[in-house]
Amino acid sequence: MANGEFLIKYENGKVSIDPQSSNDANLTLYTKGDAKFKKGLSLDWPGEYEAENVLCTCIQILKDEKEHRVLSLEIEGFRVAFMGKLNTLIPDKIIKNLSAVEILVLPLSMSVKDMQVLVEEIEPNVTLIVKDDSYKDSEGIVKYEKYLKILGQENIEPLDSLKIKKKDDLETLNNFILLNV
């Protein structure tokens, strides 16, 4: 995982989201731009798909004439949402589509206030926050640190990876998880 790239391993293969280089994933999805690395099945347009035992909903958002896609994936019974580098709140009708998401990968490209609103509206079981010092607010404060401080969670130890094998595992996790880049 680097520069917004995520790799999810599951029983039937791997899903790569916003890859920065070629990899051996059997399914590759993009939240912005066109498919750059076409090994395996690559999806870079809005719609609903079922591929490689993954149900994917890719929702297009247009902001200032720029396209962005929000991804909702169902993999082995888990619903995971990726916002990519979205920097604005998303419309309510899209929030409703994400209401059953159990794991939200929080976009640090948003303002801290918008991050709070997004998490409160979606209400995921677990929010993944990427430990990336390059995202700072207008005062120069690292966004993930500011957000965790507001939540009273500033002592969270970052993880290098996260393994969730079954839904019951979600109950044992902290609501907010910090992942190393």
Side-chain angles (χ1 to χ4, degrees), residues 129-176:
I129 304 167
V130 177
K131 184 181 179 203
D132 187 340
D133 294 343
S134 67
Y135 287 97
K136 298 181 180 178
D137 68 9
S138 59
E139 300 163 345
I141 300 171
V142 176
K143 285 185 181 182
Y144 78 84
E145 291 176 348
K146 185 174 183 177
Y147 182 61
L148 289 173
K149 187 173 184 176
I150 289 169
L151 297 169
Q153 301 280 331
E154 59 265 77
N155 295 324
I156 293 177
E157 288 295 319
L159 304 174
D160 292 325
S161 65
L162 177 63
K163 293 181 183 178
I164 303 171
K165 295 190 180 211
K166 56 186 188 290
K167 273 195 176 187
D168 292 345
D169 293 346
L170 291 173
E171 301 302 321
T172 64
L173 295 173
N174 189 343
N175 290 7
F176 296 92

Side-chain angles (χ1 to χ4, degrees), residues 46-95:
E48 290 187 15
Y49 316 98
E50 186 167 353
E52 305 295 334
N53 294 320
V54 175
L55 180 62
C56 174
T57 303
C58 182
I59 304 164
Q60 178 177 292
I61 297 173
L62 293 174
K63 174 83 169 146
D64 300 327
E65 297 185 25
K66 293 182 181 177
E67 177 191 15
H68 188 88
R69 292 178 292 274
V70 171
L71 301 174
S72 174
L73 309 177
E74 187 170 325
I75 303 172
E76 296 182 346
F78 292 100
R79 290 220 33 216
V80 184
F82 291 87
M83 306 292 129
K85 294 183 179 182
L86 186 67
N87 62 4
T88 185
L89 284 175
I90 55 181
D92 287 341
K93 74 176 192 176
I94 295 174
I95 291 285

Side-chain angles (χ1 to χ4, degrees), residues 17-135:
I17 298 170
D18 292 333
Q20 303 300 308
S21 61
S22 185
N23 59 48
D24 64 346
N26 47 323
L27 179 60
T28 304
L29 304 166
Y30 294 87
T31 60
K32 199 169 188 179
D34 296 328
K36 298 174 191 136
F37 308 104
K38 299 211 178 225
K39 186 175 182 184
L41 179 60
S42 295
L43 301 174
D44 62 354
W45 59 90
E48 290 187 15
Y49 316 98
E50 186 167 353
E52 305 295 334
N53 294 320
V54 175
L55 180 62
C56 174
T57 303
C58 182
I59 304 164
Q60 178 177 292
I61 297 173
L62 293 174
K63 174 83 169 146
D64 300 327
E65 297 185 25
K66 293 182 181 177
E67 177 191 15
H68 188 88
R69 292 178 292 274
V70 171
L71 301 174
S72 174
L73 309 177
E74 187 170 325
I75 303 172
E76 296 182 346
F78 292 100
R79 290 220 33 216
V80 184
F82 291 87
M83 306 292 129
K85 294 183 179 182
L86 186 67
N87 62 4
T88 185
L89 284 175
I90 55 181
D92 287 341
K93 74 176 192 176
I94 295 174
I95 291 285
K96 288 177 186 167
N97 287 335
L98 301 174
S99 64
V101 165
E102 289 132 345
I103 302 169
L104 170 66
V105 180
L106 191 64
L108 294 178
S109 46
M110 288 183 155
S111 71
V112 172
K113 181 181 177 185
D114 287 352
M115 285 188 242
Q116 283 181 277
V117 170
L118 184 68
V119 172
E120 287 171 5
E121 288 181 348
I122 294 177
E123 297 181 336
N125 295 56
V126 175
T127 301
L128 299 181
I129 304 167
V130 177
K131 184 181 179 203
D132 187 340
D133 294 343
S134 67
Y135 287 97

